[in-house]
Amino acid sequence: MYKRTNLRSLSTLILLLFFILYSECYAQQKIGLVLSGGGAAGVAHVGVLKALEERNIPIDFIVGTSAGALVASMYASGYSPKEIEAYVLSEPFQLMVKGELESDKKFYFFDESNTSSMFNIPFSKDSILQKSIPMSFVNPRYFDFEMLRILGRTSASVGNDFNELFIPFRCVASDVVRKESVVFSNGNLNEAVRASMTFPLYLNPIRINGVLYFDGGLYDNFPLNAMYEQFDADFIIGSNVTKNDIKANENDFFGMISSMMTTPTNYALPCQEGIIIEPKTEVGTFDFKDVQQAINDGYQATILKLDVLEQFITVRENPDSLVRRRAEFRGNVPPIQVSSVNTAPIKKNEFKYANKFILPKRSQRILDEEELKERYFRLASTPQIDFLYPNFETKSDGTLQLNLHVKKAKEFRADFGGLISSRAVNTGYFNLSYRSIGRVGHKVNAESYFGKFYGSLRTNYELVFPSVFPISVNGYFTLNRWDYFRSFATFFEDVKPSFLVQNEAYGGIKLKLPLGNNARWTFDARYFSLEDDYYQSSQFTNKDTADFTRFYGTALSLEYTKNSLNKKQFATEGHFFQVKARYVNGFERTVPGTTSILKDTVEKDHQWLSLQAEFQSFFLKNGPFHFGFHGKMVLNSQSLFANYTASLLSMPAFNLIPDMETFFLPEYRATQYFSLGSNLIFELANKLDLRLDVYYFQPIVQLQQNQDGTIQYGKPLNVHSMLASGSLLYDTPIGPVRASLNYFPAQENPLFFQLSFGYILFNERAVR
């Protein structure tokens, strides 16, 4: 009996010990999560995290590649799945992946969008014959700053040790020289994730400790090995949105690049202690506008696996404890407070140039996130700088040092562009520029427009004195020539207009000062010489001589411009405002031709003051609809020239519809006028817009020609006109393709249709 009791007690003790050991084993169960690459489809991992947290399944270790590295790093930095979802659906994320910039952060001071340039090729003096292929199709400046903002300060706060993050983290990138996958366990978190996401030709590669890295998905798109080798996980959850047997499509450029460069990945778990979730999503690699669908697909795929997961995972996360621990971790991450800047690897004078844009050494200012962002993008927009990469370093006083890796732009750049049209206004564009930085920035450029309708040659030398608010001084010289006879020959044959050629030569000095990010002041002083050849009658022969008017003198102007439009022409978002005052003092000499009513040469002085204001504002965006207003007002004290045509040519022209720049339209010229119009845009598809622009034009006074050839001003507000332009417009990567129908009711044939490719932009006129 005694022995039986002892045996029973021993059995009970053994069972109790087994139960304790079993419970202890599962109580210490560690869960690892592996996230694959996949571009926009990789955002499905956010839905996976949402579903796991809803069932209180803890994550103890997390590893990711490419898009998976971004999601994993944000989760490891203490962001909740809902916060990550909100971020990838936000405007900053959408701008980031498109390589665009928030409109209020564009530094208009360096804006060069007033030319017909469509693409450019930079090159160096020691490699003039070497092709310079761009390494990225999107500008990485906003991408890199966002990685710094959301990950950089977290990394600095934990001493760049990925084990000290809220959740221990690893990511992989590809060393394309050694052709191997590299696992990052420490260093700058934003830098490691950026390296992991550097898809060839989408984002430019970066160097870390001298090694050039590309997208981690090239050699390891599902980093299970990193989880096995770096962490002691008892159970592994994998989330995979890609596969190896993707067929290359001849119309999918990035798909072909991926097929050529990637190594097949093993997406299977080598042991039974794990499970793979495979969200089935139709979201493409770069369809970032559809990330909400990817998130939903990831969430639904995980919901279907939860019952199976709960059979293997016995531990649960207390949701209140998770929220508290996450808040404590995030609370220990200091806000962005930058007290110094270190710039490398450029030379000493170049170092000073870059630093003065953000935080001059003598400044005692500490920059918060918003101030840093503004100054960073001012520097990034400098033409002499090709690439910036930022990191944070924690200082002893708890503030941050901004470390900038700066890559200078190649010294030379060639720009190409122009306009191809079904009308006789085809124009080519070429620009060659040289730029460098030392204590100041230097830029020299020569540009040319060439065509039957318009030709121009412009040279410019610019000095930029660096500062938080830099100063630019420009010396320039311009030649312009317009031939309206040829441009009219196609569509206005019945009108038989006068032969008209305009030549301009002017040179001067400009002083530019920024006012915030989107605005600048420009002071201009120039000397000009204008020559116009024209007939006063449409009935002329090759034996007739044209009238000749020369007008030369000086002009002073002051201009304020604020511009946040999203395109240099045919904008759909943003705002524009410009006010310009100009004083002109000149001398006219008109020599009559054989068709003129004048018999003697006319010589007279002219002085006038002009004031003009223009605005454009897109204030409504509702789904595919964009709506805005566009208006202009001109007040001018200009006196009349010798004859009707000479007076018209000297007057301001209404030109809010771009095609009007390619016509000589007497009815839409006046010394004083105001106009107001509406811009309605409907997005039919990605980059395909249907556009309707309607304007009301009201001259305050308009010039009239009497039957005897004399001229006079008509009654104030006596005439007005409505104009319209309808366009089907497709934005290619280098310029707009457009089919347009314009309506100018004051013309004998008010409707005309044209097809065009490129920009209707010309060099600035001298004084007109």
Side-chain angles (χ1 to χ4, degrees), residues 280-301:
K280 305 299 182 184
T281 182
E282 297 298 322
V283 177
T285 304
F286 297 100
D287 294 336
F288 288 100
K289 66 181 184 303
D290 298 326
V291 291
Q292 181 64 75
Q293 183 60 49
I295 294 171
N296 295 342
D297 293 336
Y299 180 83
Q300 293 300 325

Side-chain angles (χ1 to χ4, degrees), residues 354-372:
N355 282 22
K356 285 181 179 180
F357 266 86
I358 298 181
L359 195 63
K361 281 196 170 183
R362 295 181 181 178
S363 175
Q364 300 299 313
R365 186 75 177 270
I366 294 179
L367 304 180
D368 60 19
E369 180 180 319
E370 190 62 26
E371 290 175 310
L372 174 64

Side-chain angles (χ1 to χ4, degrees), residues 87 92 95-97 99-101 136 138-152 189-195 197-198 202-206 372 376-377 380 386-392 402-405:
Y87 177 70
L95 290 172
M96 177 183 87
V97 296
E100 297 177 1
L101 190 62
S136 63
V138 301
N139 192 317
R141 57 183 176 176
Y142 195 37
F143 196 106
D144 294 336
F145 186 86
E146 281 294 286
M147 292 296 97
L148 178 75
R149 185 181 69 83
I150 63 176
L151 302 175
L189 180 61
N190 59 299
E191 199 169 52
V193 173
R194 168 66 160 81
M197 298 183 68
T198 303
Y202 176 69
L203 284 175
N204 63 303
I206 63 171
L372 174 64
Y376 177 86
F377 287 120
D386 180 59
F387 176 66
L388 286 178
Y389 196 82
N391 281 314
F392 282 142
L402 176 67
N403 295 321
L404 288 175
H405 180 89

Side-chain angles (χ1 to χ4, degrees), residues 257-331:
I257 293 294
S258 179
S259 297
M260 288 188 293
M261 299 188 67
T262 55
T263 299
T265 297
N266 183 8
Y267 295 105
L269 286 170
C271 69
Q272 295 182 347
E273 298 302 315
I275 193 169
I276 293 182
I277 301 168
E278 296 183 295
K280 305 299 182 184
T281 182
E282 297 298 322
V283 177
T285 304
F286 297 100
D287 294 336
F288 288 100
K289 66 181 184 303
D290 298 326
V291 291
Q292 181 64 75
Q293 183 60 49
I295 294 171
N296 295 342
D297 293 336
Y299 180 83
Q300 293 300 325
T302 309
I303 291 294
L304 297 176
K305 295 280 189 177
L306 284 176
D307 290 340
V308 177
L309 279 171
E310 289 178 337
Q311 294 178 16
F312 293 95
I313 301 174
T314 59
V315 290
R316 293 293 180 270
E317 179 80 66
N318 184 299
D320 294 332
S321 174
L322 176 62
V323 171
R324 184 177 63 254
R325 290 191 301 107
R326 188 172 273 152
E328 289 175 356
F329 179 85
R330 295 278 294 278

Side-chain angles (χ1 to χ4, degrees), residues 419-427 491 659 754-757:
L419 176 69
I420 300 174
S421 173
S422 59
R423 293 177 53 232
V425 293
N426 298 292
T427 307
F491 285 94
D659 291 322
Q754 72 175 28
L755 298 172
S756 65
F757 173 49

Side-chain angles (χ1 to χ4, degrees), residues 630 654 656-657 676-677 679 693-697 721-724:
H630 192 188
F654 174 71
L656 297 190
I657 295 176
L676 182 63
N679 309 124
D693 302 309
V694 179
Y695 291 92
Y696 173 80
F697 172 69
S721 181
M722 296 292 296
L723 306 89

Side-chain angles (χ1 to χ4, degrees), residues 416-519:
F416 304 87
L419 176 69
I420 300 174
S421 173
S422 59
R423 293 177 53 232
V425 293
N426 298 292
T427 307
Y429 174 81
F430 174 73
N431 176 64
L432 180 64
S433 59
Y434 170 80
R435 55 261 177 101
S436 66
I437 52 174
R439 291 185 177 274
V440 297
H442 303 265
K443 182 181 177 183
V444 182
N445 71 286
E447 63 182 355
S448 175
Y449 288 85
F450 44 92
K452 294 180 178 179
F453 161 68
Y454 175 67
S456 179
L457 176 65
R458 178 180 174 87
T459 60
N460 180 74
Y461 175 62
E462 179 182 33
L463 285 175
V464 176
F465 298 91
S467 173
V468 173
F469 290 97
I471 299 172
S472 167
V473 179
N474 295 268
Y476 60 89
F477 178 75
T478 304
L479 296 172
N480 286 326
R481 177 183 173 85
W482 285 269
D483 186 343
Y484 287 99
F485 174 78
R486 291 168 181 159
S487 70
F488 269 68
T490 302
F491 285 94
F492 291 84
E493 286 143 351
D494 294 334
V495 177
K496 295 181 181 178
S498 302
F499 177 69
L500 173 60
V501 175
Q502 293 181 283
N503 290 281
E504 295 185 345
Y506 65 91
I509 296 176
K510 279 186 179 180
L511 177 67
K512 293 192 297 184
L513 301 170
L515 187 63
N517 275 359
N518 294 147

